[in-house]
Every structure is written in C-alpha cells, then in structure tokens.
Amino acid sequence: MEGKELLNELLSKRDYSGNEADEYAQFLSTLMVQLGEKLYPLLEKAQSESKRLALKPSITESDILVDEYTVSDITFI
C-alpha cells in the first residue's frame, strides 16, 4: 500500500475516543501538517517493518518545547 493510502487508512481511525488507534491517528495528523508528503515514505517503511512512527526520545524527553518536527525527529517503534 502506498503512503497516501496508508495515511488515509490510519486517519480513518480518528474517533476522539482517546484509544491507542485514535491517538496514533491524531499524531499522524500532526506529522502530516509538519512534514507533508515526506510522511508517506516513512509510513511505507513502518508498514514494511511492522512498526509505528514515533518521536525520538531526545524530543519527547527534552525540557525544551519543540513546535515543529522534521523527518530526523521520527523513529520507528
């Protein structure tokens, strides 16, 4: 499946329930705004490796607020 299709499939799980799929869809929405089409190859790689996208610990564990993400801020878990 191509990145755009993967994104649409994952975003369709956004139901505002707060469950894991909903939170991931919300995260992907944020990444799409930040990264645009650069997100598609990351989603394809994540799917091929049966992983999910996440922010690197250096971002999530930092005391410094980051308001714009780049491809280099993304890891696979």
Side-chain angles (χ1 to χ4, degrees), residues 9-65:
E9 180 182 320
L10 293 165
L11 291 180
S12 72
K13 299 185 189 300
R14 180 79 166 116
D15 62 5
Y16 304 93
S17 66
N19 67 25
E20 187 176 331
D22 176 57
E23 288 183 6
Y24 189 58
Q26 181 180 12
F27 173 63
L28 293 178
S29 294
T30 300
L31 288 181
M32 186 59 194
V33 169
Q34 300 280 322
L35 304 177
E37 293 184 4
K38 294 176 186 174
L39 179 60
Y40 299 152
L42 296 172
L43 289 170
E44 292 169 8
K45 181 177 178 182
Q47 182 193 37
S48 71
E49 297 178 3
S50 298
K51 295 187 176 189
R52 296 176 69 162
L53 302 179
L55 294 174
K56 289 182 177 176
S58 60
I59 300 294
T60 58
E61 296 171 4
S62 174
D63 291 335
I64 300 170
L65 179 63

